[in-house]
Amino acid sequence: MSLQNMYFRRMVKKYVLAVLVVASIGGITVFSSCKGCKKDTPVAIPVDTTATVSAPIDMITTPHGDSALIPVFVELLDEAFAASKAKDNAKLASLLVYHGPDERRYNQDVHALKDKYEIGIVKTTAEVFNKWNANVQSREYPRVFNMPLGDGSSMEMLEVMFISPKKVHRKFFGFQQINGEYKISNITSRIE
């Protein structure tokens, strides 16, 4: 197995774990412990599940990529976010690089909604995209850069800032070409 495959498998495992954490934390409610209050209604405490601690990135020394790719990636993300909102799983699946158990399709194809695994990944991705875009006033795309991978290859990455009235979430979307067209290959909150 190549280092790139191992890297992507590790990223998929982290992504699935993050989604499971989001799902489990989302259901937690905390009851008021005020003894003087006679409230029987549980009080939900908002939990910021996307605010993972990121190592600071030095913008000066981080390699920058071809800024002409930003509009291409923004258009692709807009399509993915619109498909997520419209619950168009087939469209979203066609925009996501396959990182499943089928070695023949791994990094070579997009999702095809052939089985429960692929349907689950696409639906979960749609839910996460909708969460990130809820109450967002704007999205900014500060930079694109080329990230070297462990096997000597590299991946184009786009930094995306989801700006809402109370917080800003930063995500990094990785893209690779499948049949000559860019597709979303990787999504992370941290660059290591």
Side-chain angles (χ1 to χ4, degrees), residues 29-192:
T29 57
V30 178
F31 294 94
S32 173
S33 63
C34 175
K35 293 181 181 177
C37 300
K38 300 224 178 203
K39 295 181 183 177
D40 293 333
T41 309
V43 178
I45 296 177
V47 178
D48 182 8
T49 58
T50 61
T52 57
V53 178
S54 295
I57 294 178
D58 183 354
M59 297 290 284
I60 295 171
T61 60
T62 301
H64 291 290
D66 181 1
S67 61
L69 289 173
I70 291 175
V72 173
F73 295 157
V74 169
E75 182 179 337
L76 178 59
L77 289 177
D78 286 345
E79 285 181 49
F81 296 150
S84 298
K85 187 173 183 178
K87 297 185 179 183
D88 185 350
N89 292 333
K91 176 64 177 176
L92 182 58
S94 73
L95 302 173
L96 302 174
V97 174
Y98 179 82
H99 293 286
D102 185 349
E103 291 289 329
R104 293 172 292 142
R105 294 178 56 213
Y106 193 88
N107 272 346
Q108 304 298 319
D109 197 6
V110 294
H111 284 277
L113 302 179
K114 292 181 177 183
D115 56 33
K116 289 181 182 180
Y117 170 81
E118 291 185 73
I119 293 168
I121 291 293
V122 172
K123 283 184 176 182
T124 301
T125 301
E127 290 171 9
V128 171
F129 283 177
N130 287 332
K131 181 178 186 266
W132 290 344
N133 284 294
N135 300 317
V136 167
Q137 292 176 327
S138 66
R139 288 189 301 267
E140 291 186 13
Y141 310 95
R143 68 193 168 113
V144 64
F145 58 97
N146 188 278
M147 184 174 81
L149 302 176
D151 65 352
S153 65
S154 62
M155 178 183 296
E156 295 295 333
M157 301 291 290
L158 177 66
E159 181 177 6
V160 181
M161 307 293 278
F162 295 87
I163 302 169
S164 63
K166 294 185 179 181
K167 40 185 135 171
V168 174
H169 296 294
R170 179 174 68 179
K171 305 295 178 202
F172 299 94
F173 287 77
F175 300 88
Q176 79 178 72
Q177 288 189 5
I178 301 290
N179 298 325
E181 293 182 12
Y182 279 105
K183 304 294 181 182
I184 301 168
S185 179
N186 190 6
I187 307 164
T188 186
S189 296
R190 287 177 53 181
I191 299 293
E192 296 178 9

